[in-house]
DNA sequence: CTGAATCCCTGCCGATACTG
DNA sequence: CAGTATCGGCAGGGATTCAG
C-alpha cells in the first residue's frame, strides 16, 4: 500500500533537507518560526500590532500584567528577527512607535492556523 | 481611513473573547496549540509520526540524540493533549506503537504554515 | 516615556542509573 | 524494549531599581 505521505516540506517539492533533520536545528524553517514566536506574551504583542501601530506605553496599557522589562525584551527580539520596526517619534515626552514589517504581517496566517487548531481542540464552547 | 483589521479570530466571525485576552491564558486557542508543540524535539517527533506509525525504539533510532527520558516525556505529553495514541503490541520483546490521532494528523497544515513562514524568512537558500 | 541592570526563583532538558 | 528516578546546569521571566 502507499506509504502515508504527509509531507511537511512544501507541497510539490521533494522533502527538503530540514524535513530530514535528525535533531533540533536553528536553520529548520519550523524552528525559525517557533523561535520568532517564542516566549510568553509574544503572540499577544504580535496580535496587538496586527491591529495597528502601538507605542510602548500603549502596549503596556493594553497588556497591564506585562512588565516593562519583558515587553522591551520581546520587542527587541521581534525587531531582531525582522518582525517589528521601531520608530522614534520626535517631541516630548519621547515615544517610540512599533509597527509590523511585511514579514511580521505575514505571521497573520500562521497565527490563524494556530488559532484554528487550538479552537477545534477545545472541549468547551 | 479604514483601520487595518487583520483579525486573528476566525474570518467572518467577530473577535472571540480570546482575541481580546489581556494576558497569557491556557484557554487561548493559540496557546493551546503552542502548548501542544512546546518542548525541544516535539515537532520532530510529530513529523516522524506524520510519516507513519513508529515504535519507541524506532523513534530513538531516527532521532539518535534524543534521550529516552525526553522521548517518553514528549510522547506522554502528546498523548495527554490527544495528539498521539499508544498501542501495546503483544509478544516479546515488549513494543509500543505510537500513532497520530486524527487531531494529531490535523497538525499537518499547522506545521506546514510554520515551515512556510520560516522558509520564506531565511536569508540563505 | 522608554528602556537597561540586577536579583532571584522556577522549570526545562541532558546525563546517568535503575526497573518491569 | 520501554520506560521511571534522580541530579545538576542553565535559560526564561517576574519584581524592583536605575538611567537617557
Amino acid at each position: 500500500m502507499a506509504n502515508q505521505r504527509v509531507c511537511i516540506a512544501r507541497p510539490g517539492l521533494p522533502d527538503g533537507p530540514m524535513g530530514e533533520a535528525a535533531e533540533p536545528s536553528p536553520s529548520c524553517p519550523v524552528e525559525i518560526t517557533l523561535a520568532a514566536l517564542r516566549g510568553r506574551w509574544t503572540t499577544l504583542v504580535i496580535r496587538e500590532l496586527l491591529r495597528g501601530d502601538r507605542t510602548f506605553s500603549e502596549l503596556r496599557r493594553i497588556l497591564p500584567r506585562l512588565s516593562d522589562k519583558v515587553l522591551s525584551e520581546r520587542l527587541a527580539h521581534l525587531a531582531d528577527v525582522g518582525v517589528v520596526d521601531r520608530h522614534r517619534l520626535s517631541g516630548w515626552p519621547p515615544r517610540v512607535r512599533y509597527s509590523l514589517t511585511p514579514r511580521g504581517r505575514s505571521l497573520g496566517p500562521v497565527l490563524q492556523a494556530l488559532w484554528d487548531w487550538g479552537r477545534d481542540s477545545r472541549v468547551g464552547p
Side-chain angles (χ1 to χ4, degrees), chain A residues 9-89:
Chain A
R10 302 181 81 105
L13 291 181
D15 284 346
M18 288 312 106
E20 308 294 342
E23 58 186 297
S25 158
S27 63
C28 170
V30 171
E31 297 201 31
I32 288 173
T33 309
L34 290 177
L37 301 177
R38 176 115 40 218
R40 220 177 164 213
W41 298 97
T42 303
T43 56
L44 290 178
V45 170
I46 295 172
R47 177 204 69 186
E48 210 44 49
L49 292 176
L50 277 168
R51 292 174 171 158
D53 298 357
R54 299 284 186 265
T55 66
F56 190 88
S57 53
E58 284 173 341
L59 290 170
R60 290 229 49 194
R61 194 175 59 252
I62 294 166
L63 306 170
R65 321 255 292 192
L66 171 55
S67 75
D68 52 359
K69 177 214 172 191
V70 173
L71 176 55
S72 62
E73 277 179 5
R74 293 296 172 266
L75 292 169
H77 173 239
L78 291 173
D80 279 345
V81 297
V83 165
V84 308
D85 261 342
R86 314 177 62 187
H87 184 37
R88 304 195 105 74
L89 302 178

